[in-house]
């Protein structure tokens, strides 16, 4: 069974999917710029089929992130958030650091993510613009969540 993988003061980070509060994740994501309008069922499916990490104060989930990975060549970090009232305490940085140090991800060669507003956060962990950009291809439907 999964357990707390990191503890700091009154906070903990867990990889135990059963502790993830889907309602908290859904409430945040449906208001985010990257998943506006996402349905709860889609959020639950994404949690069930990825490495999911909850940030907790006691039993209350106050942050979240997830990773898609083959545990060898690539890992994609996504849906990283800390609830507004808990920001400014370094909890988001701690969550990202804990994920990047997660033992199962040690063999991963390439990490990817997408962000519109947190470049400085991720740059401190070695993330940067993808170059050459012409090598990266993507199929993206920004209206997908709204048309479920």
């Amino acid at each position: 069974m999964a357990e707390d993988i990191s503890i700091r003061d009154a906070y903990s980070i867990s990889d135990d999917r059963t502790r993830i509060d889907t309602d908290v994740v859904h409430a945040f994501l449906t208001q985010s710029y990257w998943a506006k309008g996402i349905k709860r069922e889609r959020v639950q499916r994404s949690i069930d089929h990825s490495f999911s990490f909850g940030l907790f104060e006691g039993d209350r989930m106050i942050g979240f992130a997830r990773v898609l990975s083959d545990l060898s060549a690539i890992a994609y970090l996504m849906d990283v958030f800390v609830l507004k009232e808990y920001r400014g305490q370094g909890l988001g940085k701690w969550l990202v650091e804990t994920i990047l140090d997660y033992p199962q991800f040690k063999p991963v060669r390439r990490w990817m993510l997408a962000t519109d507003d947190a470049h400085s956060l991720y740059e401190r962990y070695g993330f940067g613009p993808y170059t050459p950009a012409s090598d990266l291809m993507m199929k993206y439907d920004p209206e997908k969540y709204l048309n479920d």
Side-chain angles (χ1 to χ4, degrees), residues 1-18:
M1 181 171 169
E3 57 188 44
D4 290 342
I5 55 175
S6 190
I7 299 172
R8 187 172 96 185
D9 301 323
Y11 303 104
S12 64
I13 296 172
S14 176
D15 61 354
D16 183 348
R17 244 188 234 125
T18 66

Side-chain angles (χ1 to χ4, degrees), residues 73-126:
I74 192 164
Y76 190 88
L77 177 63
M78 63 185 81
D79 295 337
V80 179
F81 71 84
V82 174
L83 296 179
K84 189 173 186 176
E85 60 267 32
Y86 291 91
R87 293 181 191 161
Q89 302 178 56
L91 297 171
K93 293 174 190 144
W94 177 45
L95 179 59
V96 171
E97 289 166 4
T98 300
I99 291 168
L100 293 175
D101 287 340
Y102 193 66
Q104 289 180 266
F105 299 146
K106 290 296 182 196
V108 172
R109 180 177 182 213
R110 175 172 290 149
W111 280 86
M112 298 185 77
L113 61 81
T115 184
D116 280 352
D117 61 357
H119 295 83
S120 63
L121 168 67
Y122 297 110
E123 285 170 349
R124 73 182 66 214
Y125 303 110

